[in-house]
Amino acid sequence: ASHAVIALGNSRPLSALDSLDRLFDFFARGSRVRDTILEALARRANDLNLDGTRWRERSRAMLLEEARDPAVAERAILLIAAIGDVGAADLLQRFLRNKDSLVVITAAETLAGLGARQALPELRELYNQLPFDPRFAPAPGRDPVALYERLGAAIKRLP
């Protein structure tokens, strides 16, 4: 199924995006195929912006549906970043409290990329507390120092 999703994501007609949207609803939450669909949609962000309001709302709904699965939630946040949905800042701020460190950092980087200055106090607090936060303890595939640096770089991008 993932190969079909990739092919559909690479096809040019805008109707392929609607097909990906329907497929997203077909597959179970947290599935690898949903992750692949979100990735395919993010690659087509320019096309999604042609119908911006619909896709901004849909990407937020996709994120909320996938909030419990860290890998897919992270991909949904990246879709919001690719679309450039500034209006999703409040939703993204909620993900700064997610239990998964990569979701937290991806949300922080997306907030910075969207220029969400209202998130700056919470980002600074997170940065100051990160060394003591158990979500950022060393784990396989998770380097706390690299995450700390990514968060610091995100904060610096906000004016």
Side-chain angles (χ1 to χ4, degrees), residues 58-116:
R58 183 63 176 132
S59 66
R60 293 176 201 174
M62 290 171 161
L63 174 56
L64 289 171
E65 283 183 40
E66 292 299 337
R68 293 184 185 175
D69 184 285
V72 185
E74 183 182 7
R75 185 75 67 190
I77 292 169
L78 291 171
L79 174 59
I80 288 172
I83 293 172
D85 184 5
V86 177
D90 289 340
L91 174 61
L92 291 168
Q93 274 188 260
R94 290 176 22 199
F95 283 85
L96 295 177
R97 295 177 289 284
N98 192 279
K99 60 185 172 187
D100 185 89
S101 60
L102 290 177
V103 170
V104 172
I105 296 301
T106 303
E109 290 172 331
T110 299
L111 284 162
L114 295 173

Side-chain angles (χ1 to χ4, degrees), residues 143-150:
D143 175 9
V145 174
L147 296 175
Y148 189 71
E149 289 171 352
R150 285 174 61 186

